[in-house]
Amino acid sequence: MQLNRTERLSDTGLLKRAVALALVAVVLLATWLTFRLARQSDAKATVDTLATLATPATAVEQHPEYPDTALETWLAAIASSSRGHCSIMAKRLGSGMVARLDAVRHVPLLSVVKLPIAIVVMDGVDHGRWSLSTPVTLLGQDMHPRGELGDRFPRGGGPVSLYRLLVLMLTRSDNTAADALTRLAGGPIAVTVWMEQHGIHDLRVDRTERGLGNDWYGLPAGADTMGSAEGIRELRALVPAAVHDSAARAMLLDPRDTGSAQGCVNLLEHLWHGDLLSAAMTDTLKSVLARCKTAPYRLPGRLPTGTPVARKTGTGGISGGVTVAINDVGVIRMPDGEDVAIAVLVGAPSGPVRRSELLIARIARCVFDAWSVRDSSTGASRAIDPGGSSRPNAPR
């Protein structure tokens, strides 16, 4: 009997310890979630406050729109095969013909944010704050483990010309170049405020590329001491797999650094119409975007060989078979010489990246075909097979 009583006391003690540990775990989880939500709320509050206090810039002209419902039907049919959620918009910049599919839905922008960063920096050139030849010294906080600059200057250094940084950021999506230019522009929030001042909404820039990467890996706040590219690589490698997976899933719901297809097309339209920069800077930026080297199988993937496309891609990391997002935004030159601004944002797709890239290519080809074959009586697109019979280009 004494032995049984001892066993019962022992079992009771174990149960109490188990309950105590469970309570501690719940408290820690609640604290982590509260901290994360607070950071997101604070970021949004900062954007809203700065946008309110900022001196409004001259409003950009609102350009007319004429919905193409036939094309929208085809886009919906293509997007139905997506293993993520799509935000799609295309607009002819001459006639104003437009097609939308869930175009106001927010998706993580990823490296698409490098386009607004470039515009703000080039606005600084227009206003004489610096020039395209201005030398920029890279700091430790700018450095990333991958890319031409991170490999050449792992602890910072240089100098590198501002123009060279722009080219690397836009054509190679170099994260070190992006963070150096973001610093020059006054930080991520300053980029968002500039966009809001100029009537460009639904595009948020909240973190540096390095900060976004740290959050995706699951580094706790303050862990990154803004050291070298080598140092941040080592820190990220130490993050436990479970912590990383949890952080990666949280990023799918994070409102920071997100935007919509409508916001992207709005930005491209005003850029192409010369509403945002001087003629010289507008032409320079268009030329650089036309030399984009990343993800060639997206917007250009199924277009006729030689079709001019100026664009910026964005690609997220993969965790648990799910990618944060796979994006491509740009301007396609049509056979009649008119430009089409297009944005295809695919949020949280599962499966291989190439599947989502093929989806983007099919959407671009559908838009190209629809607006290349016009109904002379209405100006709208004719009903066509959305890319089903289109012959893809050879790999390039």
Side-chain angles (χ1 to χ4, degrees):
M1 292 295 293
Q2 182 62 36
L3 180 59
N4 290 338
R5 182 172 181 272
T6 301
E7 289 175 344
R8 287 196 300 272
L9 289 173
S10 176
D11 291 342
T12 301
L14 289 173
L15 179 61
K16 289 180 177 179
R17 284 195 293 272
V19 171
L21 288 172
L23 288 173
V24 169
V26 170
V27 171
L28 288 174
L29 178 61
T31 302
W32 182 81
L33 289 173
T34 301
F35 171 74
R36 193 168 193 89
L37 290 172
R39 284 203 303 174
Q40 296 172 10
S41 177
D42 289 346
K44 184 179 187 305
T46 302
V47 172
D48 294 342
T49 300
L50 289 177
T52 301
L53 295 176
T55 303
T58 303
V60 294
E61 179 185 356
Q62 297 302 308
H63 303 287
E65 293 183 356
Y66 305 97
D68 187 339
T69 55
L71 177 55
E72 289 175 346
T73 299
W74 285 116
L75 295 181
I78 297 173
S80 65
S81 66
S82 171
R83 295 192 178 183
H85 46 264
C86 297
S87 180
I88 303 169
M89 181 171 171
K91 184 174 182 180
R92 289 182 67 102
L93 300 185
S95 67
M97 192 66 63
V98 65
R100 290 183 173 87
L101 181 67
D102 212 0
V104 297
R105 181 167 191 161
H106 275 226
V107 172
L109 291 170
L110 304 163
S111 288
V112 171
V113 301
K114 291 167 182 171
L115 176 55
I117 291 168
I119 292 173
V120 174
V121 169
M122 297 177 87
D123 178 67
V125 175
D126 278 336
H127 287 84
R129 289 193 286 274
W130 42 74
S131 71
L132 291 179
S133 60
T134 294
V136 179
T137 299
L138 304 175
L139 306 181
Q141 70 191 56
D142 302 326
M143 308 316 297
H144 285 256
R146 292 178 295 181
E148 177 180 319
L149 296 175
D151 292 341
R152 184 177 178 187
F153 308 106
R155 296 176 178 81
V160 183
S161 75
L162 186 147
Y163 180 71
R164 180 63 178 160
L165 292 176
L166 283 168
V167 170
L168 287 173
M169 177 176 72
L170 295 175
T171 65
R172 301 287 182 180
S173 210
D174 190 287
N175 287 335
T176 295
D179 280 357
L181 291 175
T182 301
R183 173 169 54 82
L184 194 67
I189 303 301
V191 176
T192 301
V193 170
W194 192 97
M195 291 291 142
E196 291 288 338
Q197 282 184 296
H198 290 77
I200 309 299
H201 309 298
D202 290 335
L203 292 178
R204 288 184 55 166
V205 185
D206 297 278
R207 291 166 288 187
T208 62
E209 291 286 349
R210 182 153 161 169
L212 187 148
N214 288 343
D215 283 348
W216 184 74
Y217 273 95
L219 279 182
D224 184 356
T225 57
M226 296 299 157
S228 66
E230 300 159 333
I232 192 60
R233 181 190 292 112
E234 293 170 358
L235 277 176
R236 291 172 177 177
L238 295 174
V239 176
V243 173
H244 168 53
D245 289 342
S246 177
R249 287 194 299 272
M251 185 164 285
L252 301 177
L253 304 175
D254 197 328
R256 293 176 294 171
D257 299 289
T258 61
S260 67
Q262 181 166 286
C264 293
V265 167
N266 188 29
L267 175 62
L268 291 166
E269 178 176 26
H270 289 303
L271 174 63
W272 249 249
H273 281 299
D275 300 332
L276 304 177
L277 299 171
S278 68
M281 287 300 100
T282 298
D283 289 344
T284 298
L285 184 50
K286 288 181 181 179
S287 174
V288 175
L289 291 171
R291 290 146 55 192
C292 177
K293 304 296 184 184
T294 56
Y297 296 107
R298 295 184 193 176
L299 287 179
R302 287 196 166 196
L303 297 179
T305 302
T307 301
V309 186
R311 63 199 182 93
K312 184 69 196 79
T313 61
T315 309
I318 303 174
S319 178
V322 177
T323 306
V324 176
I326 299 171
N327 307 323
D328 206 356
V329 307
V331 174
I332 301 169
R333 177 64 55 86
M334 303 295 286
D336 62 2
E338 189 173 351
D339 290 321
V340 170
I342 182 170
V344 186
L345 313 178
V346 186
S350 60
V353 170
R354 285 298 297 272
R355 178 182 286 123
S356 294
E357 292 187 324
L358 176 60
L359 173 74
I360 294 173
R362 290 184 64 205
I363 289 169
R365 184 62 192 245
C366 179
V367 170
F368 183 90
D369 286 347
W371 285 345
S372 295
V373 183
R374 316 276 316 157
D375 185 326
S376 59
S377 63
T378 66
S381 59
R382 297 178 185 173
I384 59 171
D385 182 358
S389 60
S390 301
R391 182 178 61 85
N393 293 333
R396 56 181 177 175

